[in-house]
């Protein structure tokens, strides 16, 4: 047993009853007791994905098989400022275009208009046959769009009060806190003071603030400081999402960002971070375009891209180094951006540079063409991180493991992190490279995220806790998914139990829908 605390392993029997861990010690089973023989295997708490994006796909594929098959028994969603609720009728069409990865599913589209409150959204998720537990933050971007669309200005006092009311309702309904995506519109248009006021509402309920910070490359130190200052002024715990150092020219800056995080915690500001163990990030291809061209929403962006003169302006802006926005094209190079755009013939699984060469186009022209031709729905993988920063961040005591992925949909591309994040850490970074002790890795996957998210009955092998467990072979556990073959199954996961039910056996989902919606404090 590795119990999730970071303490050394021990040997024991574990008795489960009614979805809870009822007893830990020596057990003599009766004839009618179901027994799982876990001899020479590791039993740990179920993994908690502290950074998930299954908010919309859950309505189409509630089994979440690729999630639970990597040992995740609770997925925390609503990240990067985007959640399906709350919505307003006035701006729903703008939100639908902006949050394409949420709004393209048929089942989601049928329901979205009724998600005027966060509570309505959670009630609908509760009706689904969930393969794993689901918990949710409310997204700041969604809240701001519901009140003021894609306006590039500070909120008025009246608008701020309306946003505070929406955040308060979400917290009362069971949201874990507030998230931001500060490289994306409308988050990028939002001053820090506005975020502090919204986080003060979150603090009333004991929630937390999770942020895709304003910059992860040239200005990453300033962006980390801003996230900490929001926590300092509002009183909420802070989690820095998928912490990374983007762009080769910036590698090594994690030494300073981690020093800042340590200093904040020593001061009394609670700051954690999450990470996925890959060199490539993933987001929409439209994120390569400077924020000012997104004003008014995705429809306005597409209008601008259709104008040849504006396209020339965008190309000039992309080629100009700046700390004012997250320039993904410069951070990665156009040969380092792998595109998933099924709406554009010949684009799926090609880098922007490869697509440009095959179609006799300049690379920047190809980038803008792909965004326009896909109606801004194309996804992309951005190769921008270095090994030393990844390992340094992973070893930090406040780092948690998160996929930054979600339920895989057949019609869009995926990052291998959606399938292999947790087995990759256990196989590559624990067993092969020795970056982490096994007990420390399990803590980063279980009790630490449970603490940060406010989940009081998860994350530990302890009597009275929820019977969410993973049984795996530490000698063989491994990921197999790659950037080109993203759905290859993991190895070495013998069992995954969700609320005491066997959800995965021998690396395969059993079909049991034992998950439930988890609220703050559960």
């Amino acid at each position: 047993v590795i119990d999730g605390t970071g303490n050394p392993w021990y040997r024991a029997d574990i008795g489960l009853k009614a979805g809870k861990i009822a007893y830990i010690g020596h057990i003599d089973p009766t004839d009618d007791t179901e027994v799982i023989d876990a001899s020479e295997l590791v039993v740990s708490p179920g993994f908690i994905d502290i950074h998930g994006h299954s908010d919309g796909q859950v309505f189409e594929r509630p089994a979440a098989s690729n999630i639970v098959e990597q040992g995740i028994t609770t997925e925390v969603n609503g990240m990067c400022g985007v959640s399906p609720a709350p919505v307003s009728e006035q701006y729903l069409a703008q939100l639908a275009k902006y949050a394409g990865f949420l709004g393209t599913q048929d089942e989601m589209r049928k329901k979205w208009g009724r998600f005027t409150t966060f509570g309505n959204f959670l009630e609908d998720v509760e009706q689904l046959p969930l393969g794993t537990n689901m918990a949710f933050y409310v997204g700041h971007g969604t809240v701001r769009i519901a009140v003021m669309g894609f306006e590039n200005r500070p909120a008025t006092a009246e608008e701020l009060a309306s946003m505070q009311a929406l955040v308060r309702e979400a917290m009362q309904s069971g949201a874990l806190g507030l998230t931001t995506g500060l490289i994306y519109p409308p988050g990028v248009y939002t001053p820090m003071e506005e975020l502090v006021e919204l986080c003060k509402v979150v603090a009333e309920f004991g929630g937390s603030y999770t942020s895709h910070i304003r910059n992860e490359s040239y200005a990453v130190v300033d962006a980390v400081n801003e996230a900490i200052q929001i926590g300092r002024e509002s009183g909420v715990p802070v989690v820095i999402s998928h912490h990374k150092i983007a762009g080769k020219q910036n590698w090594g800056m994690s030494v300073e960002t981690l020093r800042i995080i340590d200093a904040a915690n020593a001061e009394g500001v609670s700051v954690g971070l999450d990470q996925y163990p890959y060199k490539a990030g993933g987001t929409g291809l439209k994120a390569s375009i400077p924020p000012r061209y997104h004003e008014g929403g995705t429809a306005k962006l597409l209008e601008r891209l259709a104008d040849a003169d504006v396209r020339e302006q965008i190309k000039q802006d992309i080629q100009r180094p700046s700390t004012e926005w997250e320039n993904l094209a410069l951070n990665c190079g156009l040969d380092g951006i792998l595109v998933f755009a099924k709406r554009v013939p010949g684009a799926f699984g090609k880098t922007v540079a490869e697509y440009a060469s095959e179609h006799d186009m300049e690379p920047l022209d190809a980038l803008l063409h792909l965004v326009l031709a896909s109606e801004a729905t194309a996804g992309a993988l951005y190769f921008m991180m270095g090994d030393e920063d990844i390992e340094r961040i992973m070893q930090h005591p406040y780092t948690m493991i998160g996929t930054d992925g979600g339920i895989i949909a057949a019609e869009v591309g995926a990052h291998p992190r959606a399938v292999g994040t947790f087995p990759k850490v256990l196989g590559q970074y624990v067993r092969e490279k020795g970056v982490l002790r096994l007990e420390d890795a399990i803590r980063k996957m279980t009790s630490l995220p449970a603490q940060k998210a406010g989940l009081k009955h998860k994350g530990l092998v302890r009597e009275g806790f929820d019977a969410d467990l993973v049984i795996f072979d530490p000698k063989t556990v491994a990921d197999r998914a790659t950037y080109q073959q993203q759905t290859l199954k993991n190895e070495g996961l013998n069992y995954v139990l969700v609320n005491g039910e066997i959800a995965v056996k021998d690396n395969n989902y059993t079909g049991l829908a034992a998950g439930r919606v988890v609220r703050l404090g559960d």
Side-chain angles (χ1 to χ4, degrees), residues 50 79 137-138 171 175-180 195-196 198-213 224 226-241 261 264-265 268-274 398 400 448-455 520:
I50 196 64
M79 294 294 142
Y137 280 78
V138 63
M171 298 303 299
L176 305 184
L178 181 75
T179 74
T180 51
L195 299 173
V196 169
L198 295 178
C199 283
K200 287 178 180 177
V201 177
V202 174
E204 295 173 17
F205 296 85
S208 54
Y209 169 65
T210 283
S211 181
H212 182 149
I213 57 178
V224 169
E226 181 191 40
I228 292 170
Q229 187 64 20
I230 290 168
R232 183 180 288 119
E233 294 188 22
S234 67
V236 295
V238 173
V239 175
I240 296 170
S241 293
I261 289 167
N265 279 284
V269 183
S270 174
V271 184
L273 49 154
D274 67 63
Y398 300 146
M400 300 168 282
L448 185 56
Q451 173 194 336
K452 290 294 184 183
L455 306 178
L520 182 66

Side-chain angles (χ1 to χ4, degrees), residues 94 98 140 144-145 148-155 181-192 194-195 214 289-298 300-301 304 324:
Q94 287 191 26
Y98 167 65
H140 161 260
R144 201 173 205 263
I145 292 167
M148 52 189 296
F150 283 84
E151 293 287 330
N152 183 3
R153 59 172 175 79
L182 298 182
I183 72 164
Y184 308 114
V188 70
Y189 306 144
T190 306
M192 187 189 80
E194 185 179 307
L195 299 173
R214 236 175 260 277
I289 297 174
R292 69 190 185 97
Y293 299 101
H294 296 257
E295 290 180 30
T298 302
K300 289 291 186 182
L301 169 66
R304 294 176 182 119
E324 295 179 0

Side-chain angles (χ1 to χ4, degrees), residues 210-498:
T210 283
S211 181
H212 182 149
I213 57 178
R214 236 175 260 277
N215 190 283
E216 296 177 316
S217 53
Y218 297 96
V220 64
V221 172
D222 290 340
V224 169
N225 275 321
E226 181 191 40
I228 292 170
Q229 187 64 20
I230 290 168
R232 183 180 288 119
E233 294 188 22
S234 67
V236 295
V238 173
V239 175
I240 296 170
S241 293
H242 42 60
H243 188 38
K244 66 175 71 70
I245 305 298
K248 189 172 183 179
Q249 65 278 12
N250 304 307
W251 291 354
M253 291 176 70
S254 60
V255 173
E256 178 63 8
T257 61
L258 296 176
R259 186 197 66 78
I260 292 167
I261 289 167
D262 284 338
N265 279 284
E267 173 196 336
V269 183
S270 174
V271 184
L273 49 154
D274 67 63
Q275 178 195 42
Y276 50 82
Y278 295 87
K279 294 183 182 181
T283 189
L285 191 61
K286 66 183 178 182
S288 301
I289 297 174
R292 69 190 185 97
Y293 299 101
H294 296 257
E295 290 180 30
T298 302
K300 289 291 186 182
L301 169 66
L302 296 174
E303 284 181 22
R304 294 176 182 119
L305 286 173
D307 185 316
D309 291 336
V310 178
R311 284 202 305 276
E312 286 303 312
Q313 293 174 14
I314 295 173
K315 287 163 59 178
Q316 291 175 24
D317 285 351
I318 290 175
Q319 293 176 84
R320 188 181 303 118
S322 171
T323 59
E324 295 179 0
W325 66 287
E326 189 74 276
N327 193 328
L328 295 172
L330 278 189
N331 287 341
C332 304
L334 297 181
D335 57 350
I337 302 177
L338 186 67
V339 179
F340 296 125
K342 284 197 171 180
R343 294 189 185 184
V344 185
F348 194 87
K350 302 286 180 65
T351 68
V352 172
E354 287 172 339
Y355 180 85
S357 176
E358 292 174 6
H359 293 79
D360 196 24
M361 302 172 73
E362 290 296 320
L364 276 177
D365 288 322
L367 173 67
L368 302 187
H369 166 75
L370 289 166
V371 175
L372 180 61
S374 70
E375 297 183 347
T377 63
L381 302 185
Y382 295 87
F383 290 83
M384 53 188 168
M385 280 86 84
D387 285 325
E388 288 188 7
D389 286 311
I390 290 172
E391 294 181 9
R392 183 181 296 118
I393 291 168
M394 187 178 292
Q395 289 176 325
H396 192 272
Y398 300 146
T399 298
M400 300 168 282
I401 306 303
T403 66
D404 197 13
I407 299 168
I408 291 178
E411 66 271 18
V412 297
H415 193 299
R417 66 193 181 194
V419 173
T421 290
F422 287 81
K424 183 179 182 69
V425 171
L426 295 173
Q428 181 177 342
Y429 288 92
V430 174
R431 185 178 64 245
E432 296 175 8
K433 301 183 76 172
V435 173
L436 297 174
R437 292 170 58 245
L438 181 56
E439 290 88 347
D440 291 334
I442 295 299
R443 172 182 164 271
K444 292 172 178 289
M445 300 173 175
T446 58
S447 68
L448 185 56
Q451 173 194 336
K452 290 294 184 183
L455 306 178
K456 294 182 178 179
H457 297 99
K458 297 189 180 297
L460 293 171
V461 179
R462 181 170 291 176
E463 292 177 7
F465 272 53
D466 295 339
D468 297 336
L469 299 169
V470 181
I471 304 173
F472 65 93
D473 187 341
K475 298 182 181 67
T476 64
V477 63
D479 67 306
R480 296 177 60 239
T482 68
Y483 293 113
Q484 296 294 343
Q485 294 180 288
Q486 305 104 351
T487 59
L488 295 178
K489 285 186 179 289
N490 302 304
E491 298 175 346
L493 289 167
N494 299 65
Y495 293 91
V496 180
L497 280 70
V498 177

Side-chain angles (χ1 to χ4, degrees), residues 34-49:
E34 182 179 2
V35 176
I36 294 175
D37 183 359
S39 301
E40 305 310 316
L41 302 176
V42 167
V43 181
S44 79
F47 304 151
I48 298 172
D49 181 3

